[in-house]
Amino acid sequence: NKALQLHYGSTFEPALIKEIQQVATFMEVLEGQDLLKPGQFIKSMPLLLSGSIKIMRPDADGEELLLYHLEKGDTCAMTMTCCMGNTKSEIHAVSETPAKLLMIPIGKMEEWSRKYKTWRNFVFESYHKRMMEMLESIDNIAFNNMDERLEKLIADKTQILNSKHIYTTHKEISQDLHTSRVVVSRLLKKMENDNKIRLHRSFIEVL
């Protein structure tokens, strides 16, 4: 309840906060845990209280491209779209850090949209924010070189994790960027030679 008030008390009116408390299911997940897989029907939508979640889109070959991150106070526009259309998920959601969520039954979405202006605004703002992030991802892919995309990914992870020590593997980074591990390793080494990062056995240190 304290986390709900902290992150959403200024966003939602008291009556809506009370309803969320009554119907939401609290979920706590570990780093790397699957929250939603492609092809699954969605029965609830998340309100993120803490942590970070990666939203990825698989291609026909099963390779995945990072679309955007969810952080505290966020929800997922792709999830909401599937909820409202009663369609199967087209995304893969996985926790990048330990996370705490409130899962809202999808039946409440339309009801709250009629009853609460703050909920309607929250949904529209979430769509807009996620759309802007996806457009940024498209621009990044279309116009930036792989070294620029890698530097942006590392900068984003530094901000999301609030740490200059990024515990990840070259393989995980290559999956996020939809490229090969060899390319990532070469570009990381170049960044180290340029004194932008320092490579350690189990983490990357941002200088």
Side-chain angles (χ1 to χ4, degrees):
N1 289 351
K2 288 183 178 179
L4 178 61
Q5 285 287 352
L6 177 63
H7 298 305
Y8 297 97
S10 60
T11 303
F12 302 141
E13 55 262 74
L16 177 53
I17 291 286
K18 186 176 181 179
E19 284 206 48
I20 292 173
Q21 291 172 340
Q22 291 171 345
V23 303
T25 300
F26 176 76
M27 178 183 293
E28 193 166 4
V29 297
L30 302 174
E31 178 183 343
Q33 187 168 332
D34 286 325
L35 299 171
L36 181 64
K37 293 183 178 180
Q40 288 183 331
F41 281 104
I42 300 172
K43 298 181 180 180
S44 57
M45 58 161 286
L47 295 179
L48 191 56
L49 300 176
S50 68
S52 174
I53 296 172
K54 292 195 297 186
I55 305 299
M56 296 174 290
R57 165 85 171 180
D59 63 16
D61 298 322
E63 299 293 331
E64 294 184 317
L65 178 68
L66 177 66
L67 295 180
Y68 51 79
H69 287 88
L70 298 181
E71 298 179 77
K72 62 184 178 183
D74 284 341
T75 190
C76 179
M78 298 290 285
T79 302
M80 290 191 292
T81 301
C82 293
C83 287
M84 296 171 71
N86 195 29
T87 58
K88 293 181 180 180
S89 169
E90 297 181 356
I91 60 168
H92 180 201
V94 59
S95 53
E96 183 161 39
T97 68
K100 297 179 181 179
L101 309 93
L102 290 177
M103 304 304 294
I104 308 296
I106 60 173
K108 290 294 180 180
M109 288 189 58
E110 188 173 346
E111 176 187 336
W112 288 350
S113 291
R114 292 194 303 266
K115 288 174 63 176
Y116 300 111
K117 181 179 178 180
T118 57
W119 180 260
R120 291 196 301 273
N121 290 342
F122 176 68
V123 169
F124 286 132
E125 288 171 6
S126 297
Y127 274 126
H128 178 73
K129 184 177 180 181
R130 299 286 88 81
M131 180 62 71
M132 291 300 101
E133 289 175 338
M134 283 194 287
L135 288 176
E136 184 180 352
S137 294
I138 292 170
D139 287 345
N140 199 24
I141 294 167
F143 303 118
N144 291 348
N145 295 325
M146 188 59 70
D147 55 347
E148 295 173 316
R149 291 175 59 195
L150 175 60
E151 289 188 23
K152 183 180 184 304
L153 178 67
I154 290 177
D156 288 346
K157 285 182 177 290
T158 301
Q159 182 177 3
I160 289 168
L161 301 174
N162 193 27
S163 172
K164 292 193 173 183
H165 289 185
I166 302 172
Y167 290 84
T168 187
T169 66
H170 294 193
K171 182 180 179 181
E172 289 171 341
I173 293 175
S174 69
Q175 290 171 339
D176 285 346
L177 293 176
H178 212 284
T179 188
S180 72
R181 185 180 58 80
V182 173
V183 169
V184 167
S185 296
R186 175 172 56 81
L187 292 176
L188 285 173
K189 191 63 182 176
K190 181 179 182 296
M191 288 180 67
E192 185 176 46
N193 291 338
D194 292 340
N195 293 317
K196 295 179 179 179
I197 62 171
R198 183 171 292 118
L199 299 174
H200 298 269
R201 181 178 296 272
S202 60
F203 67 94
I204 297 170
E205 181 183 1
V206 180
L207 301 179

